[in-house]
Amino acid sequence: MKRLLSFAICLVMLGGTWGGASAALAQGQRRGQGREAQPQGGETLIRNATILTVSHGTLAASDLLIRNGKIVAVGQNLKAAANARVIDATGKFVLPGIIDAHSHTMMDGSVNECTQSVTSMARTQDILNPTAINIYRELAGGVTSALLLHGSCNSIGGQSTTVKFKYGRPAAEFIFPGAPPGIKFALGENPKRTNFTQQPGQQRYPATRMGVEETIRGAFTRARDYKRGWDEFRAATARGDKNVLPPRRDLTLEPLVEVLEGKRYVHSHSYTADEIVMLINLADEFGFKVRTFQHVLEGYKVAGELARHGAMASTFADFWSYKVEAYDAIPYNSAIMTRHGVVTSVNSDSDERARRLNIDAAKMMRYGGLTEEEALRLVTLNPAMQLGVDSRVGSIDVGKDADLAIWTAHPLSVYSRVETTFIDGDIFFDRTQDLAHRTQLEQERKTLEQADANKAPAAGATPPATPRPPRRAYTDDDDVQDEGNNQR
């Protein structure tokens, strides 16, 4: 009990440390201050660090050279250009940027389009808010990339977006270039709306688990027929037939055709073992692969089936029992799936938890006996593989993007914190700069408050009404905050 209490206190202290980085430099960047995140180019040399490559072990007292956004050398006694930025990392650790394989950060407004059971035409890419403060907070926790998913109130939801958290840049620069497109599926309680209070006459199909399965099967049956129509049209056109007409475009079915063709990844919300196996069987029926099962809290029960299908798994470290589907979750889930050969990651599904994914990874050494490198892979290389971007990020290897963070201590320790976060070789979080801006911003706040106080209304005048606070924009997944529906 004492050990648990001590651990909890450490987490609170750590959360406070990172939480303090929530606004200072971030506000300055939006107003033109603290422009460290602007393109820098050139070279950066990180010297004398402990480098956690994730892919090929730990390198003690080593250097890392970045040039034009790429890692160009890793080793000892590296040399850089005369005008290179040089960072002394003696006693510190360098880790690849953390990747969150299930996020809703920077999605403006609701993450759910709940009006239909199949909303594959909706695109999360169209609602990105590049000024969301949680981007900066996650950078302060070493997070550099994320998979932004639609919510889970649909059997087949909207299209996902893979991003790099380039805070201070336009939304278009967040899009991870070349990342394979994805789409969100959902199984179980959420798409059948069990926990959703519906008005009379507004009940939506499906209302049962078997209805969820048939909704997905029906959508792919239509998509298969739609694909056949286009294939026949293209074949006729290639033969020189000028009388054939193209099928009518269907924006709902086009993403599903991409799934059938292996061009779009399926990321499916799931909980119970039976529904996991159901979707595997359905995917086999239509000839596609489920890329990741998200949450997958009963994945340990069907780890062999996941491995045989070739699916990957992205789960929580220790978040469960918030609804009946989550009652059978165990902390050994990640380790059991890993031991069965399933590429497993630990995700946040939360703007707040995302700041501490390094600690969630550390827990998996305690529950299941994963090695240090296996634990680190849960939040770096494994999610990169799940997103199809592991040739670019996820480990410290020559030729990969310079997405990484410098930590004051080993990242799996609750006593460590991030000092600097790089994306493509540019600095997007710097703790020293953040601390320097806090005093400046506090003084600015006092000046504004004093100016406001000097505008006191004249005697007898009615003071202006206090404005209502803006409605909070829910950006966490439906499991945590489903647009007020309490779908836990």
Side-chain angles (χ1 to χ4, degrees):
M1 179 60 70
K2 289 182 179 179
R3 184 178 298 173
L4 288 175
L5 180 59
S6 175
F7 182 75
I9 293 172
C10 289
L11 283 180
V12 171
M13 293 172 63
L14 190 61
T17 299
W18 284 346
S22 63
L25 183 58
Q27 293 178 14
Q29 286 177 325
R30 289 201 295 270
R31 291 197 299 271
Q33 304 166 355
R35 290 294 186 180
E36 192 66 26
Q38 294 306 304
Q40 297 149 0
E43 290 187 353
T44 298
L45 177 61
I46 302 173
R47 304 178 71 172
N48 202 34
T50 299
I51 299 177
L52 305 168
T53 69
V54 176
S55 59
H56 55 279
T58 299
L59 307 177
S62 296
D63 306 337
L64 188 151
L65 182 61
I66 300 168
R67 182 182 302 131
N68 297 327
K70 298 288 186 179
I71 299 171
V72 296
V74 181
Q76 295 182 330
N77 302 316
L78 299 182
K79 305 297 181 182
N83 62 346
R85 179 202 293 117
V86 179
I87 299 175
D88 183 4
T90 302
K92 299 171 185 176
F93 291 73
V94 178
L95 181 72
I98 289 174
I99 301 170
D100 190 353
H102 189 131
S103 173
H104 306 283
T105 297
M106 76 178 289
M107 290 174 62
D108 194 10
S110 173
V111 304
N112 272 310
E113 174 52 64
C114 293
T115 51
Q116 298 178 178
S117 301
V118 178
T119 57
S120 49
M121 75 298 286
R123 308 195 314 170
T124 58
Q125 179 177 332
D126 297 329
I127 59 165
L128 302 186
N129 174 14
T131 66
I133 190 59
N134 286 305
I135 302 170
Y136 186 74
R137 291 171 177 163
E138 291 175 36
L139 285 165
V143 181
T144 56
S145 294
L147 175 64
L148 306 183
L149 289 166
H150 186 274
S152 57
C153 73
N154 320 85
S155 303
I156 300 178
Q159 301 169 36
S160 60
T161 308
T162 302
V163 297
K164 291 192 176 194
F165 282 145
K166 295 188 174 183
Y167 191 76
R169 304 278 182 86
E173 294 190 32
F174 281 70
I175 308 302
F176 199 124
I183 190 169
K184 176 73 173 289
F185 283 25
L187 311 175
E189 299 296 317
N190 287 19
K192 73 186 185 72
R193 316 309 288 145
T194 303
N195 301 309
F196 179 64
T197 303
Q198 304 185 61
Q199 300 298 320
Q202 292 185 348
Q203 187 167 357
R204 188 200 74 186
Y205 182 88
T208 65
R209 292 178 185 269
M210 58 186 173
V212 170
E213 177 181 3
E214 287 311 311
T215 298
I216 299 173
R217 175 175 283 108
F220 274 103
T221 299
R222 295 191 300 275
R224 186 169 56 190
D225 293 342
Y226 181 70
K227 179 180 183 301
R228 182 183 301 114
W230 274 101
D231 289 344
E232 292 172 352
F233 166 75
R234 294 187 183 102
T237 302
R239 292 193 303 267
D241 188 344
K242 298 181 180 180
N243 296 319
V244 65
L245 295 176
R248 181 179 180 180
R249 286 191 66 188
D250 190 320
L251 298 183
T252 303
L253 297 179
E254 285 186 2
L256 302 185
V257 170
E258 292 176 340
V259 171
L260 292 173
E261 294 175 340
K263 298 176 181 177
R264 182 176 293 275
Y265 292 161
V266 171
H267 303 284
S268 183
H269 164 114
S270 60
Y271 284 88
T272 63
D274 58 333
E275 66 189 14
I276 294 168
V277 173
M278 174 276 290
L279 187 57
I280 288 175
N281 291 338
L282 192 151
D284 290 342
E285 175 185 338
F286 284 90
F288 68 89
K289 296 290 184 183
V290 179
R291 185 69 175 188
T292 68
F293 282 92
Q294 299 283 333
H295 309 318
V296 63
L297 296 188
E298 291 187 16
Y300 66 94
K301 296 181 179 180
V302 289
E305 286 80 356
L306 289 167
R308 282 190 289 274
H309 179 70
M312 307 185 205
S314 188
T315 189
F316 296 129
D318 54 3
F319 183 55
W320 47 67
S321 293
Y322 42 84
K323 56 181 176 180
V324 66
E325 292 179 307
Y327 284 174
D328 275 5
I330 61 174
Y332 300 92
N333 191 36
S334 294
I336 292 173
M337 290 191 293
T338 297
R339 293 291 174 254
H340 278 78
V342 179
V343 176
T344 304
S345 70
V346 170
N347 67 58
S348 75
D349 195 11
S350 160
D351 292 338
E352 293 303 312
R353 196 176 190 116
R355 300 184 291 122
R356 296 179 286 272
L357 281 174
N358 61 309
I359 302 303
D360 277 356
K363 295 172 187 176
M364 300 301 95
M365 295 179 68
R366 167 65 178 84
Y367 295 103
L370 295 185
T371 66
E372 176 184 300
E373 187 167 287
E374 286 174 329
L376 291 173
R377 288 174 66 106
L378 294 176
V379 292
T380 54
L381 188 54
N382 286 3
M385 295 171 66
Q386 294 172 354
L387 275 54
V389 294
D390 50 300
S391 64
R392 296 276 304 277
V393 294
S395 64
I396 295 179
D397 289 293
V398 172
K400 286 197 173 184
D401 298 352
D403 292 10
L404 49 91
I406 302 175
W407 297 73
T408 58
H410 197 291
L412 297 180
S413 166
V414 295
Y415 298 104
S416 65
R417 65 169 182 260
V418 172
E419 283 202 342
T420 312
T421 303
F422 297 82
I423 299 178
D424 291 334
D426 292 341
I427 295 176
F428 283 86
F429 171 77
D430 182 86
R431 182 174 174 78
T432 301
Q433 195 174 47
D434 182 278
L435 292 171
H437 276 86
R438 294 187 196 185
T439 302
Q440 175 185 341
L441 291 174
E442 181 61 28
Q443 184 58 48
E444 182 180 339
R445 176 179 179 176
K446 291 179 180 178
T447 301
L448 292 172
E449 288 176 344
Q450 184 60 47
D452 189 57
N454 292 338
K455 296 179 182 178
T462 302
T466 302
R468 294 179 61 187
R471 179 173 179 241
R472 179 182 176 187
Y474 287 86
T475 56
D476 290 345
D477 187 23
D478 35 274
D479 299 313
V480 184
Q481 296 167 320
D482 186 17
E483 189 57 17
N485 294 340
N486 297 319
Q487 286 211 165
R488 292 176 177 269

